[in-house]
Amino acid sequence: MPEFIFANEALIRIGVFGGVFCLIACAEWQWPRRVLGVSQRVRWQNNLGLGLLNTALLRLIFPMAAVGAAAVAAEQGWGLFSFLGWSGGLVMGAAIVLLDLVVYLQHRAMHVIPVLWRVHRVHHADLDLDVTSGLRFHPFEMVISMAIKCGVVILLGAPVLSVVVFEVVLNAMALFNHANLRLTKTVDRLLRWIIVTPDMHRTHHSVAVDERDANFGFNLAWWDYLFVTYRAAPRETHERMVLGLPGMRQVSECCHLPSMLAMPFRKTSE
Ligand SMILES: [Zn+2]
Ligand SMILES: [Zn+2]
């Protein structure tokens, strides 16, 4: 089973990603949360273009990716879990939860460390939010994330299956929590017990800095509760709140691929 998953990891990821993307895009069309201000064609072309570029780049730099790191760790008997002697199920669960904690901590570091914020602000400069915003990360951020993930996988000795599950879930959740999707209040409230909902993550994309400094989670909502970075809602309603960065309001500077790629090098107050 692990051999099959390892051999078909890329195919599994692409298949799940494609299915979840189509499902969420249809749901957004059916139950939109906000009226989008920027041409959807422009945003989709450029956000999807950046997503494709990142996929190609990561395969080039890390052909084996985090799953490869897990396979090497298992072969060599590296990592914390190889010493603990826990059962397979417990190791799987612990690995997934700990990897998610690392993603939360890394996201907070992206906001606090100036050089990392220059890279991460590409994600925040999107003037609208929808399923394609979940792909909108600068290639530098993708490379940094993958390097950290590979390091943590080796330190933990995370099993191959846990890494595949985590990667697939993380990708799907990034699409879900950026969705321009109206959930009922009850569904949103119940989901927030465990996972980050679109309303929760939208608050993090607010133009207001105090709202941006909240809701850093991508998968599990628990980290924001535990580290007291949770904010239930923005001051404005979700329909009226302003998204993006205060110093970058032009479509040409926020939503065109060349300017997104150049953004970390540009001097702005943001
Ligand atoms: Zn952020
Ligand atoms: Zn986001």
Side-chain angles (χ1 to χ4, degrees):
M1 181 73 168
E3 287 78 21
F4 172 82
I5 289 168
F6 183 64
N8 296 287
E9 178 253 346
L11 215 61
I12 294 168
R13 286 182 58 172
I14 292 168
V16 175
F17 172 83
V20 173
F21 185 94
C22 292
L23 211 68
I24 292 176
C26 291
E28 284 183 330
W29 178 71
Q30 188 69 31
W31 302 287
R33 182 65 152 127
R34 291 161 55 92
V35 177
L36 302 184
V38 180
S39 148
Q40 196 179 37
R41 186 181 57 80
V42 168
R43 286 188 52 262
W44 276 48
Q45 274 176 2
N46 289 281
N47 287 354
L48 290 175
L50 186 55
L52 270 175
L53 181 71
N54 283 333
T55 306
L57 194 76
L58 281 184
R59 283 282 150 184
L60 205 69
I61 301 176
F62 300 94
M64 305 279 283
V67 176
V72 172
E75 214 174 86
Q76 304 292 329
W78 291 341
L80 180 68
F81 292 133
S82 63
F83 296 105
L84 293 178
W86 289 357
S87 72
L90 191 60
V91 168
M92 273 281 292
I96 291 169
V97 170
L98 287 173
L99 281 169
D100 194 49
L101 171 61
V102 171
V103 169
Y104 168 87
L105 294 174
Q106 181 195 315
H107 189 187
R108 287 195 68 176
M110 286 277 170
H111 279 254
V112 172
I113 300 169
V115 69
L116 295 181
W117 170 244
R118 275 176 170 258
V119 174
H120 183 58
R121 66 184 176 183
V122 174
H123 181 61
H124 279 267
D126 206 349
L127 296 168
D128 282 327
L129 273 194
D130 68 11
V131 63
T132 64
S133 309
L135 304 172
R136 191 192 148 112
F137 294 94
H138 194 277
F140 289 169
E141 180 161 355
M142 299 303 286
V143 170
I144 293 166
S145 301
M146 185 55 85
I148 292 173
K149 211 179 306 170
C150 289
V152 173
V153 162
I154 287 172
L155 280 175
L156 290 176
V160 168
L161 186 59
S162 70
V163 177
V164 175
V165 170
F166 179 73
E167 295 271 65
V168 167
V169 171
L170 184 70
N171 285 349
M173 279 297 296
L175 299 178
F176 172 69
N177 60 39
H178 288 93
N180 181 35
L181 182 61
R182 179 183 297 277
L183 299 176
T184 67
K185 274 193 177 147
T186 312
V187 170
D188 183 85
R189 188 169 47 83
L190 289 175
L191 286 178
R192 281 186 196 206
W193 280 96
I194 301 174
I195 60 169
V196 176
T197 65
D199 277 8
M200 206 176 145
H201 191 69
R202 193 177 303 104
T203 305
H204 178 68
H205 278 265
S206 169
V207 81
V209 177
D210 60 332
E211 292 176 354
R212 191 171 78 200
D213 285 338
N215 300 0
F216 291 94
F218 273 108
N219 281 326
L220 294 169
W222 307 337
W223 313 122
D224 283 300
Y225 306 143
L226 187 66
F227 296 106
V228 204
T229 50
Y230 174 66
R231 189 178 177 119
R235 271 180 295 272
E236 286 280 5
T237 62
H238 278 281
E239 288 80 2
R240 292 177 49 150
M241 72 179 288
V242 181
L243 303 174
L245 299 173
M248 278 189 222
R249 306 305 305 163
Q250 301 298 320
V251 173
S252 57
E253 62 177 344
C254 295
C255 300
H256 288 174
L257 189 52
S259 42
M260 286 191 234
L261 293 174
M263 213 175 275
F265 307 101
R266 267 179 27 210
K267 266 194 181 161
T268 77
S269 56
E270 259 306 319

